[in-house]
Amino acid sequence: MPYVQIHTIKGMLTPGQKQLLLERIADVMVDIEGAGDPEFRKSIWINIQETEAENWSMSGLRPSTRHIEQFLAVRDARATTQAEVAK
């Protein structure tokens, strides 16, 4: 029975993104560990752990909730622009 744990900064993923991530991780586990058997999906545990931005550090950078909000605004604006271009 596989257990997959994903750690991320709180607020980085929307509910829709979390759902997609859960589905795709399960698909990969079925394909690889379950040898393609769809019944294997019933044994997969996936957990998304979200913690406050201030609890993270990368290369000495300690993001704040404000930094994450700014990042998300830029990311979402880019996604909107890309979606409009694709129309």
Side-chain angles (χ1 to χ4, degrees), residues 22-40:
L22 294 168
E23 291 169 8
R24 289 194 182 172
I25 293 291
D27 290 345
V28 168
M29 295 303 295
V30 167
D31 288 346
I32 295 172
E33 189 172 349
D37 180 2
E39 287 295 309
F40 185 75

Side-chain angles (χ1 to χ4, degrees), residues 6 13-14 27 31 38 41 43 46 65-67 69 72 77:
I6 300 162
L13 298 171
T14 67
D27 290 345
D31 288 346
R41 184 177 301 276
S43 69
I46 305 169
T65 300
R66 184 171 160 260
H67 289 123
E69 289 169 353
L72 293 173

